[in-house]
Amino acid sequence: MAVTEFDLVDTDDVDSPGDEWEEVDVSDTDADRIARKRDREFDQFRERIKDADQFKVEASVFDDATFAALYKLVQDGYIDAFGGPISTGKEANVYQALGGATAVEHLPEDSPRPGENREVAVKVYRINASDFRDMRGYLDGDPRFEGIGQDKGEVVKAWVRKEFANLSRARAAGVRVPTPIAVERNVLVMELLGLADDRAKRLGEVHVENPETAYEVVREYMRRLHDAGLVHGDLSEYNILLHGSELVVIDLGQAVTVHHPNSREFLERDCHNVAAFFRRQGMDVRDDDLFEFVVGGGE
């Protein structure tokens, strides 16, 4: 798959970045309360989901509150029907789903509208399988999550809230990311890029015919993230998707604020990974030049 040109999101079309000290609520959600109440309607939903082919393997690791989160998202009109898995990982699975009327209201203007295909992506973090220690390394030191305890479930819920907040801020800063739609406990609903049988490819999976243009877009998105007070923390060709003629930055769960004590280390690692990829494309790109562009506001 050859790609020659890449579109860049116009910053004139976005709002100002969010406040660095925005509050991220990690208290109990409606899903937790539904799971505790366990009424008949929820129990019936839970059994249907557990018996569905796409969730059978996960039934042993999804807790009742995860099923309650899915139930609440259906009730609130974010999901009409579940589809199969798009990707599976040690921390989360991403499923294709049919978005409800509420979800469609949050989709970008160029996404399918009511009456057309309106698939969304549903990212479900597994409480029992997530890498608790890795998550703590990105949460500790982030001023939005001071006081988060050691309970694994609370950490995972904080992580998902953090991903939603980071996606929202990145999008407001003019970075092309999957549009966040809703978050409930350990479940995140967002814009679907491609379908399960025709998924958007990672940058490392395609032949980049014009790497100079791709590099200009990637480094500009890194700069815009930094200007918005964020460092991705795990950026590489495997966390950048090619969607049509757009490059899309994904997996912002671990992104930290610039005030995080390890933010410089994370940014230097991002710069090394990105520069190394484009060096393999034949470009003369230096890690420190990319770093200076990002922190220097594009100068």
Side-chain angles (χ1 to χ4, degrees):
M1 181 178 182
V3 182
T4 58
E5 296 296 333
F6 302 92
D7 295 335
L8 185 65
V9 173
D10 188 349
T11 54
D12 292 336
D13 295 334
V14 297
D15 298 325
S16 299
D19 184 350
E20 173 68 29
W21 305 102
E22 68 208 14
E23 181 181 354
V24 178
D25 184 8
V26 294
S27 59
D28 274 6
T29 70
D30 288 338
D32 295 290
R33 291 183 280 274
I34 290 170
R36 286 193 293 267
K37 185 178 178 182
R38 289 289 298 271
D39 62 22
R40 185 176 64 178
E41 187 176 352
F42 166 62
D43 275 342
Q44 290 173 343
F45 173 86
R46 176 177 174 274
E47 292 309 311
R48 287 200 306 273
I49 292 294
K50 288 182 71 173
D51 291 340
D53 288 340
Q54 63 266 45
F55 289 103
K56 277 181 179 177
V57 176
E58 305 299 337
S60 61
V61 292
F62 283 3
D63 61 6
D64 281 353
T66 299
F67 291 114
L70 298 173
Y71 175 74
K72 183 68 166 57
L73 290 164
V74 170
Q75 280 191 322
D76 290 346
Y78 290 106
I79 300 171
D80 272 356
F82 292 99
I86 298 170
S87 65
T88 59
K90 65 179 183 179
E91 294 182 346
N93 284 6
V94 181
Y95 299 91
Q96 181 179 342
L98 186 65
T102 309
V104 170
E105 294 174 2
H106 294 268
L107 290 171
E109 287 300 320
D110 57 352
S111 290
R113 313 316 296 167
E116 306 174 36
N117 292 330
R118 55 183 194 277
E119 285 83 3
V120 296
V122 180
K123 188 172 187 178
V124 182
Y125 279 91
R126 299 192 294 275
I127 298 292
N128 296 327
S130 298
D131 195 325
F132 174 81
R133 287 173 298 181
D134 282 355
M135 288 182 172
R136 288 294 331 195
Y138 289 100
L139 289 174
D140 291 342
D142 189 320
R144 296 173 296 176
F145 298 93
E146 291 179 356
I148 293 296
Q150 296 297 317
D151 179 81
K152 190 170 185 177
E154 293 298 314
V155 171
V156 174
K157 285 196 295 182
W159 185 270
V160 182
R161 291 276 176 176
K162 180 172 183 270
E163 183 166 9
F164 185 89
N166 289 342
L167 286 169
S168 299
R169 186 187 299 187
R171 182 168 175 78
V175 180
R176 183 63 172 102
V177 297
T179 302
I181 296 173
V183 61
E184 182 62 54
R185 198 175 182 267
N186 57 316
V187 180
L188 174 65
V189 182
M190 55 189 169
E191 175 189 3
L192 175 62
L193 303 174
L195 302 177
D197 57 353
D198 186 27
R199 66 177 177 84
K201 299 292 191 299
R202 299 176 190 273
L203 189 59
E205 297 174 329
V206 302
H207 172 63
V208 184
E209 200 166 272
N210 188 349
E212 292 81 8
T213 303
Y215 175 67
E216 292 296 322
V217 173
V218 172
R219 75 169 188 168
E220 174 63 15
Y221 283 164
M222 294 175 69
R223 182 194 68 78
R224 292 181 186 181
L225 270 181
H226 192 268
D227 284 352
L230 288 176
V231 173
H232 187 284
D234 191 30
L235 191 62
S236 73
E237 66 271 25
Y238 301 107
N239 284 325
I240 302 171
L241 296 182
L242 176 64
H243 179 55
S245 61
E246 293 182 316
L247 292 175
V248 185
V249 180
I250 63 171
D251 293 340
L252 270 76
Q254 75 291 317
V256 300
T257 72
V258 293
H259 296 290
H260 190 285
N262 297 325
S263 63
R264 183 185 177 91
E265 175 189 344
F266 293 157
L267 180 57
E268 288 175 343
R269 185 174 64 194
D270 286 352
C271 289
H272 171 74
N273 290 339
V274 169
F277 171 75
F278 284 102
R279 282 196 292 269
R280 293 194 295 274
Q281 310 306 306
M283 292 184 61
D284 180 17
V285 180
R286 292 166 49 92
D287 297 10
D288 54 354
D289 288 343
L290 177 55
F291 181 89
E292 289 303 321
F293 178 88
V294 172
V295 300
E299 297 297 330

